[in-house]
């Protein structure tokens, strides 16, 4: 199903419909402030395994991110952070960053793996954040990749729907996506190490 939701003023009934699909173990493709993401409810093990199959990766080896509504969600899944890191997060989020942290004990239970780290995102996109808010917990997420090297990420929701409609329950059309992914910042050592340069410019917030 291709479902149109406008980021400027997301339709509450449509958001509830998406959250309901996620609660039942469904898979969605949804807009963020960078590339379109492939997501499910982090508490649903079968849905996590299905996403891993779609991406052809083992769940325990996958670098999934948790999409959160705001900073209050984050503390459940990461080990305590210092004030400098917290101040950076307050400035940079919502925004086009994935921050890597040492995972709390809650994360390995969710992913049935021995994962020591977790990627956290709070995208600056009303559709993604409203879904998480209504769902009541984060979405486990990975980005959509194109097979074509020229355009690494799919940007047109209708083309994404054509490609993935048999694999996912809902593709949300929130307008054209970007083809530049988030900037990944490793915060596990106390410093801020950029693992991948993307749309976010970390220096703007330091």
């Amino acid at each position: 199903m291709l479902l149109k939701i406008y980021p400027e003023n997301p339709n509450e009934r449509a958001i509830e419909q998406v959250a309901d699909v996620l609660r039942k173990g469904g898979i969605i493709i949804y807009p963020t402030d960078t590339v379109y993401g492939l997501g499910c409810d982090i508490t649903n093990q079968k849905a996590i395994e299905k996403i891993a199959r779609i991406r052809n990766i083992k769940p325990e080896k996958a670098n999934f991110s948790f999409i959160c509504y705001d900073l209050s969600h984050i503390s459940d899944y990461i080990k305590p952070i210092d004030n400098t890191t917290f101040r950076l997060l307050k400035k940079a989020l919502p925004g086009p960053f994935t921050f890597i942290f040492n995972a709390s004990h809650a994360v390995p239970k969710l992913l049935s793996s021995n994962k020591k780290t977790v990627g956290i995102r709070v995208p600056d996109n009303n559709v993604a954040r409203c879904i998480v808010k209504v769902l009541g917990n984060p979405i486990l997420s990975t980005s959509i990749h194109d097979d074509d090297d020229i355009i690494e990420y799919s940007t047109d929701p209708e083309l994404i729907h054509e490609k993935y409609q048999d694999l996912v329950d809902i593709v949300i059309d929130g307008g054209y996506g970007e083809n530049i992914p988030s900037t990944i910042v490793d915060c596990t050592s106390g410093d801020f190490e950029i693992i991948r340069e993307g749309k976010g410019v970390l220096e703007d917030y330091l």
Side-chain angles (χ1 to χ4, degrees):
M1 175 200 295
L2 185 63
L3 183 63
K4 181 89 181 169
I5 304 180
Y6 295 97
E8 299 77 27
N9 188 18
N11 181 292
E12 286 180 22
R13 283 179 62 186
I15 294 288
E16 185 59 63
Q17 182 183 349
V18 174
D20 199 44
V21 164
L22 289 168
R23 287 186 198 107
K24 291 172 179 166
I27 309 288
I28 65 166
I29 291 176
Y30 65 98
T32 72
D33 51 354
T34 58
V35 300
Y36 266 77
L38 180 67
C40 71
D41 185 335
I42 60 166
T43 63
N44 192 300
Q45 193 60 47
K46 284 194 171 145
I48 292 170
E49 288 165 6
K50 188 174 176 188
I51 282 189
R53 282 198 302 275
I54 291 171
R55 285 293 311 276
N56 201 22
I57 41 182
K58 292 182 176 172
E60 61 272 17
K61 296 261 172 65
N63 290 317
F64 294 129
S65 300
F66 288 8
I67 304 290
C68 299
Y69 176 71
D70 59 17
L71 290 180
S72 64
H73 256 145
I74 292 175
S75 56
D76 296 337
Y77 306 103
I78 68 172
K79 290 189 173 168
I81 56 174
D82 60 34
N83 287 337
T84 305
T85 306
F86 185 73
R87 279 198 295 272
L88 172 68
L89 296 183
K90 277 195 83 166
K91 284 192 224 165
L93 298 176
F97 295 95
T98 302
F99 289 101
I100 309 288
F101 294 104
N102 293 306
S104 72
H105 293 305
V107 172
K109 289 194 192 82
L110 293 168
L111 299 181
S112 68
S113 71
N114 296 318
K115 227 158 173 43
K116 303 285 193 297
T117 60
V118 62
I120 298 289
R121 281 214 69 201
V122 182
D124 189 11
N125 179 284
N126 282 336
V127 175
R129 292 180 69 222
C130 284
I131 292 167
V132 170
K133 191 174 187 182
V134 171
L135 181 63
N137 53 257
I139 296 171
L140 177 126
S141 183
T142 181
S143 54
I144 296 288
H145 284 276
D146 266 339
D147 303 325
D148 189 332
D149 288 340
I150 299 167
I151 306 173
E152 200 175 331
Y153 296 96
S154 296
T155 58
D156 184 336
E158 292 192 4
L159 294 178
I160 294 170
H161 179 251
E162 272 178 35
K163 183 173 177 180
Y164 288 96
Q165 59 186 330
D166 296 331
L167 298 171
V168 305
D169 298 276
I170 296 177
V171 174
I172 297 169
D173 178 353
Y176 276 88
E178 303 250 354
N179 61 0
I180 302 169
S182 64
T183 294
I184 300 177
V185 184
D186 187 338
C187 304
T188 56
S189 66
D191 292 325
F192 307 124
E193 183 189 351
I194 294 176
I195 305 292
R196 177 183 74 191
E197 288 277 6
K199 188 180 172 190
V201 180
L202 191 66
E203 287 74 27
D204 291 351
Y205 303 97
L206 293 174

